[in-house]
Amino acid sequence: MAPEPLSGGLSNRNFLVRDGDRRCVVRLGEDVPVHGLLRRNEIACSRAAAACGLSPELVHAEPGVLVFAFIDGRTLAAEDVRADAMLPRVLALVRRCHDEMPRQIAGAPPLFWVFHALRDYARTLRAGGSRMAGQLPRLMAIGERLERAVGPIELKFGHNDLLAANLIDDGGRLWLIDWEYGGFNSPLFDLGNLASNNGLSPAQVDWLLAAYDGRAPVPARRRAFDAMTCASLLREAMWGMVQEIHSALPIDYVAYTSENLGRFEAAWSEFAGAAA
Protein backbone atom coordinates (compact mmCIF):
# COMPACT_ATOMS: atom_id res chain seq x y z
CA MET A 1 0.00 0.00 0.00
CA ALA A 2 1.07 3.60 -0.59
CA PRO A 3 2.46 5.49 2.42
CA GLU A 4 -0.22 7.38 4.37
CA PRO A 5 0.75 10.92 5.45
CA LEU A 6 0.46 11.51 9.19
CA SER A 7 -0.66 14.92 10.43
CA GLY A 8 0.78 16.91 13.28
CA GLY A 9 4.45 17.39 12.35
CA LEU A 10 5.69 20.99 12.56
CA SER A 11 9.17 20.38 11.15
CA ASN A 12 9.19 16.89 9.60
CA ARG A 13 7.14 14.78 7.23
CA ASN A 14 5.80 11.53 8.70
CA PHE A 15 4.10 8.58 7.01
CA LEU A 16 2.43 5.35 8.05
CA VAL A 17 3.80 2.45 5.99
CA ARG A 18 2.38 -1.08 5.91
CA ASP A 19 4.42 -4.18 5.09
CA GLY A 20 2.08 -7.13 5.34
CA ASP A 21 0.79 -7.18 8.90
CA ARG A 22 3.52 -4.86 10.12
CA ARG A 23 3.04 -1.11 10.42
CA CYS A 24 5.83 1.44 10.79
CA VAL A 25 6.16 5.21 10.96
CA VAL A 26 8.63 6.67 8.48
CA ARG A 27 10.06 10.04 9.47
CA LEU A 28 11.73 12.14 6.79
CA GLY A 29 14.12 14.89 7.81
CA GLU A 30 17.72 15.99 7.48
CA ASP A 31 19.84 17.84 10.03
CA VAL A 32 18.44 21.30 10.79
CA PRO A 33 21.40 23.45 11.89
CA VAL A 34 19.27 26.54 12.61
CA HIS A 35 17.55 24.56 15.36
CA GLY A 36 20.63 22.68 16.52
CA LEU A 37 19.05 19.44 15.30
CA LEU A 38 21.44 16.61 14.50
CA ARG A 39 19.80 13.36 13.46
CA ARG A 40 22.66 11.37 14.98
CA ASN A 41 21.54 12.71 18.37
CA GLU A 42 17.91 11.89 17.64
CA ILE A 43 18.95 8.34 16.69
CA ALA A 44 20.97 7.90 19.90
CA CYS A 45 18.12 9.26 22.03
CA SER A 46 15.52 7.15 20.23
CA ARG A 47 17.51 3.97 20.76
CA ALA A 48 18.09 4.78 24.43
CA ALA A 49 14.40 5.59 24.93
CA ALA A 50 13.39 2.28 23.35
CA ALA A 51 15.86 0.45 25.61
CA CYS A 52 14.20 2.16 28.59
CA GLY A 53 10.75 1.15 27.36
CA LEU A 54 9.74 4.78 26.93
CA SER A 55 9.44 4.79 23.13
CA PRO A 56 8.82 2.43 20.21
CA GLU A 57 11.71 0.62 18.56
CA LEU A 58 13.82 2.44 16.00
CA VAL A 59 13.66 -0.15 13.22
CA HIS A 60 15.93 1.49 10.65
CA ALA A 61 17.98 4.65 10.20
CA GLU A 62 19.74 6.11 7.19
CA PRO A 63 20.48 9.71 6.14
CA GLY A 64 17.20 11.59 6.00
CA VAL A 65 15.05 8.60 7.00
CA LEU A 66 14.09 7.11 10.36
CA VAL A 67 11.69 4.16 10.67
CA PHE A 68 9.91 3.43 13.95
CA ALA A 69 7.59 0.66 15.05
CA PHE A 70 4.00 1.89 14.94
CA ILE A 71 2.13 2.33 18.23
CA ASP A 72 -1.58 1.67 17.91
CA GLY A 73 -2.93 4.24 20.30
CA ARG A 74 -4.40 7.68 20.82
CA THR A 75 -2.26 10.79 20.50
CA LEU A 76 -2.98 13.02 23.47
CA ALA A 77 -4.26 16.59 23.34
CA ALA A 78 -3.50 19.26 25.93
CA GLU A 79 -6.85 18.70 27.65
CA ASP A 80 -5.97 15.02 28.03
CA VAL A 81 -2.66 15.87 29.73
CA ARG A 82 -4.46 18.23 32.13
CA ALA A 83 -6.94 15.55 33.23
CA ASP A 84 -6.58 14.54 36.88
CA ALA A 85 -6.20 10.87 36.00
CA MET A 86 -3.63 11.50 33.26
CA LEU A 87 -1.24 14.08 34.70
CA PRO A 88 0.32 11.71 37.29
CA ARG A 89 0.90 9.14 34.53
CA VAL A 90 2.62 11.74 32.36
CA LEU A 91 4.80 12.91 35.24
CA ALA A 92 5.84 9.32 35.99
CA LEU A 93 6.92 8.94 32.35
CA VAL A 94 8.90 12.19 32.49
CA ARG A 95 10.61 11.11 35.70
CA ARG A 96 11.63 7.83 34.07
CA CYS A 97 13.13 9.82 31.20
CA HIS A 98 15.15 11.93 33.65
CA ASP A 99 16.36 8.98 35.72
CA GLU A 100 16.78 6.13 33.23
CA MET A 101 17.97 7.72 29.99
CA PRO A 102 21.49 8.56 31.26
CA ARG A 103 22.14 4.85 31.77
CA GLN A 104 21.20 4.01 28.16
CA ILE A 105 22.41 6.92 26.03
CA ALA A 106 25.54 6.03 24.03
CA GLY A 107 28.21 8.16 22.40
CA ALA A 108 28.85 11.87 22.75
CA PRO A 109 26.25 13.28 25.16
CA PRO A 110 23.60 15.49 23.53
CA LEU A 111 22.88 18.70 25.43
CA PHE A 112 20.00 21.16 25.46
CA TRP A 113 20.25 24.51 27.21
CA VAL A 114 17.36 26.79 26.37
CA PHE A 115 19.31 29.99 26.94
CA HIS A 116 21.94 28.95 24.41
CA ALA A 117 19.09 28.15 22.00
CA LEU A 118 17.68 31.66 22.49
CA ARG A 119 21.03 33.32 21.80
CA ASP A 120 21.63 31.16 18.76
CA TYR A 121 18.14 31.88 17.42
CA ALA A 122 18.83 35.59 17.80
CA ARG A 123 21.99 35.25 15.67
CA THR A 124 20.05 33.30 13.03
CA LEU A 125 17.24 35.85 12.97
CA ARG A 126 19.59 38.82 12.62
CA ALA A 127 21.51 37.13 9.82
CA GLY A 128 18.29 36.19 8.04
CA GLY A 129 16.73 39.65 8.16
CA SER A 130 13.79 38.53 10.29
CA ARG A 131 10.81 40.85 10.59
CA MET A 132 11.27 40.45 14.37
CA ALA A 133 14.89 41.69 14.42
CA GLY A 134 13.90 44.96 16.11
CA GLN A 135 12.51 43.07 19.11
CA LEU A 136 15.59 40.94 19.67
CA PRO A 137 17.55 43.27 22.01
CA ARG A 138 14.65 43.36 24.46
CA LEU A 139 13.96 39.64 24.21
CA MET A 140 17.64 38.76 24.74
CA ALA A 141 17.81 41.05 27.78
CA ILE A 142 14.80 39.24 29.22
CA GLY A 143 16.47 35.91 28.46
CA GLU A 144 19.53 36.96 30.47
CA ARG A 145 17.33 37.90 33.43
CA LEU A 146 15.56 34.56 33.24
CA GLU A 147 18.85 32.64 33.09
CA ARG A 148 20.07 34.39 36.23
CA ALA A 149 16.76 33.62 37.94
CA VAL A 150 17.07 29.90 37.16
CA GLY A 151 20.42 29.81 38.94
CA PRO A 152 22.40 26.59 39.58
CA ILE A 153 20.81 23.46 38.17
CA GLU A 154 20.63 19.73 38.76
CA LEU A 155 21.55 17.89 35.55
CA LYS A 156 19.16 15.23 34.26
CA PHE A 157 18.28 13.88 30.81
CA GLY A 158 15.38 15.81 29.32
CA HIS A 159 13.00 15.17 26.46
CA ASN A 160 12.75 18.96 26.03
CA ASP A 161 9.68 19.01 23.78
CA LEU A 162 6.74 17.94 25.92
CA LEU A 163 3.90 18.74 23.58
CA ALA A 164 0.80 16.64 24.08
CA ALA A 165 1.25 15.36 20.52
CA ASN A 166 4.44 13.59 21.63
CA LEU A 167 2.49 11.40 24.06
CA ILE A 168 0.55 8.30 22.94
CA ASP A 169 -1.82 6.24 25.08
CA ASP A 170 -2.21 2.68 23.77
CA GLY A 171 -4.92 1.87 26.33
CA GLY A 172 -2.49 0.17 28.68
CA ARG A 173 0.45 2.55 28.95
CA LEU A 174 1.91 5.83 27.73
CA TRP A 175 4.66 6.27 25.15
CA LEU A 176 6.92 9.30 24.73
CA ILE A 177 8.01 9.96 21.13
CA ASP A 178 10.02 12.48 19.06
CA TRP A 179 13.51 12.88 20.53
CA GLU A 180 14.80 15.63 18.23
CA TYR A 181 15.63 17.90 21.17
CA GLY A 182 16.53 15.21 23.70
CA GLY A 183 19.60 15.94 25.81
CA PHE A 184 21.03 16.62 29.23
CA ASN A 185 19.30 19.58 30.84
CA SER A 186 17.71 20.87 34.02
CA PRO A 187 14.55 18.90 34.91
CA LEU A 188 12.87 22.27 35.41
CA PHE A 189 12.79 22.76 31.66
CA ASP A 190 10.73 19.63 31.08
CA LEU A 191 8.44 20.53 33.97
CA GLY A 192 7.96 24.11 32.78
CA ASN A 193 7.60 22.92 29.19
CA LEU A 194 4.96 20.39 30.25
CA ALA A 195 3.04 23.05 32.19
CA SER A 196 3.19 25.77 29.52
CA ASN A 197 2.52 23.54 26.52
CA ASN A 198 -0.52 21.92 28.11
CA GLY A 199 -2.13 24.81 29.98
CA LEU A 200 -1.76 23.50 33.53
CA SER A 201 -3.58 25.52 36.16
CA PRO A 202 -1.68 27.16 39.07
CA ALA A 203 -2.96 24.41 41.37
CA GLN A 204 -1.72 21.75 38.96
CA VAL A 205 1.68 23.44 38.77
CA ASP A 206 1.88 23.37 42.59
CA TRP A 207 1.03 19.67 42.49
CA LEU A 208 3.53 18.99 39.70
CA LEU A 209 6.47 20.51 41.59
CA ALA A 210 5.51 18.94 44.90
CA ALA A 211 5.05 15.51 43.31
CA TYR A 212 8.35 15.72 41.43
CA ASP A 213 10.39 16.99 44.40
CA GLY A 214 8.59 15.01 47.09
CA ARG A 215 7.87 18.19 49.05
CA ALA A 216 6.19 21.55 48.57
CA PRO A 217 8.45 23.93 46.61
CA VAL A 218 10.21 26.68 48.50
CA PRO A 219 9.92 30.19 46.97
CA ALA A 220 13.34 29.98 45.27
CA ARG A 221 12.42 26.69 43.59
CA ARG A 222 9.11 28.09 42.38
CA ARG A 223 10.87 31.20 41.11
CA ALA A 224 13.36 29.10 39.15
CA PHE A 225 10.50 27.03 37.72
CA ASP A 226 8.61 30.16 36.67
CA ALA A 227 11.73 31.54 34.99
CA MET A 228 12.26 28.30 33.08
CA THR A 229 8.61 28.28 32.04
CA CYS A 230 8.99 31.80 30.62
CA ALA A 231 12.14 30.70 28.80
CA SER A 232 10.31 27.71 27.35
CA LEU A 233 7.61 29.98 25.98
CA LEU A 234 10.14 32.43 24.55
CA ARG A 235 12.03 29.60 22.91
CA GLU A 236 8.81 28.34 21.28
CA ALA A 237 8.07 31.83 19.93
CA MET A 238 11.60 32.25 18.57
CA TRP A 239 11.47 28.75 17.07
CA GLY A 240 8.47 30.00 15.11
CA MET A 241 10.36 33.12 14.04
CA VAL A 242 13.19 30.98 12.67
CA GLN A 243 10.72 28.70 10.88
CA GLU A 244 9.20 31.75 9.21
CA ILE A 245 12.42 32.40 7.28
CA HIS A 246 13.88 28.91 6.95
CA SER A 247 11.05 26.38 6.56
CA ALA A 248 9.41 25.45 3.26
CA LEU A 249 6.61 23.46 4.91
CA PRO A 250 3.07 24.80 4.24
CA ILE A 251 2.45 25.89 7.84
CA ASP A 252 1.43 29.36 9.07
CA TYR A 253 4.52 30.00 11.19
CA VAL A 254 3.67 33.70 11.52
CA ALA A 255 0.50 32.73 13.38
CA TYR A 256 2.50 30.19 15.42
CA THR A 257 4.99 32.92 16.38
CA SER A 258 2.22 35.35 17.29
CA GLU A 259 0.38 32.84 19.48
CA ASN A 260 3.46 31.77 21.41
CA LEU A 261 4.85 35.29 21.71
CA GLY A 262 1.55 36.37 23.25
CA ARG A 263 1.72 33.52 25.75
CA PHE A 264 5.32 34.42 26.59
CA GLU A 265 4.50 38.09 27.11
CA ALA A 266 1.69 37.19 29.53
CA ALA A 267 3.95 34.86 31.51
CA TRP A 268 6.82 37.37 31.52
CA SER A 269 4.53 40.16 32.73
CA GLU A 270 3.42 37.98 35.64
CA PHE A 271 6.99 36.90 36.43
CA ALA A 272 8.38 40.45 36.31
CA GLY A 273 5.45 41.76 38.34
CA ALA A 274 6.11 39.24 41.09
CA ALA A 275 9.69 40.49 41.36
CA ALA A 276 8.67 44.14 41.59
Side-chain angles (χ1 to χ4, degrees):
M1 296 180 64
E4 302 173 26
L6 295 173
S7 62
L10 290 174
S11 58
N12 299 282
R13 291 181 295 158
N14 300 287
F15 299 87
L16 175 62
V17 175
R18 303 173 190 268
D19 180 15
D21 293 334
R22 188 176 194 184
R23 290 180 291 174
C24 291
V25 173
V26 176
R27 183 178 177 88
L28 304 181
E30 306 285 350
D31 289 349
V32 188
V34 292
H35 291 303
L37 292 182
L38 299 176
R39 296 303 171 186
R40 68 171 185 264
N41 288 345
E42 183 179 5
I43 289 168
C45 291
S46 297
R47 287 175 173 156
C52 293
L54 298 171
S55 293
E57 176 191 3
L58 177 60
V59 176
H60 175 76
E62 63 181 68
V65 181
L66 301 179
V67 182
F68 296 91
F70 176 75
I71 299 299
D72 190 4
R74 178 175 63 94
T75 301
L76 299 190
E79 55 266 28
D80 299 315
V81 175
R82 293 193 298 268
D84 290 341
M86 183 63 74
L87 189 57
R89 296 175 62 197
V90 173
L91 181 60
L93 196 67
V94 172
R95 184 187 294 281
R96 287 185 57 204
C97 167
H98 292 174
D99 294 343
E100 297 177 23
M101 285 287 286
R103 294 194 288 271
Q104 297 293 340
I105 196 76
L111 303 170
F112 183 93
W113 185 237
V114 65
F115 300 103
H116 169 75
L118 295 178
R119 288 185 282 268
D120 209 44
Y121 280 162
R123 283 187 284 268
T124 298
L125 292 166
R126 291 188 193 101
S130 168
R131 67 184 180 89
M132 306 297 291
Q135 296 195 37
L136 293 177
R138 170 180 173 266
L139 295 177
M140 290 301 94
I142 291 173
E144 290 179 5
R145 287 184 60 181
L146 293 173
E147 189 170 18
R148 290 193 296 270
V150 168
I153 65 166
E154 174 188 20
L155 197 62
K156 296 281 190 177
F157 196 96
H159 180 272
N160 304 317
D161 194 19
L162 289 173
L163 298 165
N166 288 331
L167 293 158
I168 298 174
D169 186 352
D170 70 3
R173 54 156 296 179
L174 293 179
W175 300 84
L176 183 55
I177 62 170
D178 192 350
W179 292 87
E180 285 184 322
Y181 295 102
F184 286 93
N185 194 3
S186 164
L188 285 178
F189 185 82
D190 266 350
L191 297 176
N193 195 239
L194 179 66
S196 63
N197 283 337
N198 298 286
L200 300 193
S201 70
Q204 286 176 315
V205 168
D206 289 341
W207 175 87
L208 188 74
L209 283 172
Y212 188 88
D213 292 341
R215 61 184 183 278
V218 299
R221 177 71 164 174
R222 181 56 187 262
R223 181 78 174 163
F225 169 86
D226 290 341
M228 198 64 99
T229 302
C230 284
S232 171
L233 287 165
L234 179 55
R235 182 257 172 191
E236 202 68 30
M238 292 184 71
W239 181 93
M241 296 176 199
V242 170
Q243 287 295 91
E244 288 180 31
I245 59 175
H246 283 281
S247 177
L249 293 176
I251 294 173
D252 188 350
Y253 291 115
V254 171
Y256 190 89
T257 296
S258 179
E259 177 187 351
N260 284 284
L261 194 59
R263 295 174 64 217
F264 159 72
E265 293 290 2
W268 165 245
S269 178
E270 184 175 349
F271 181 86

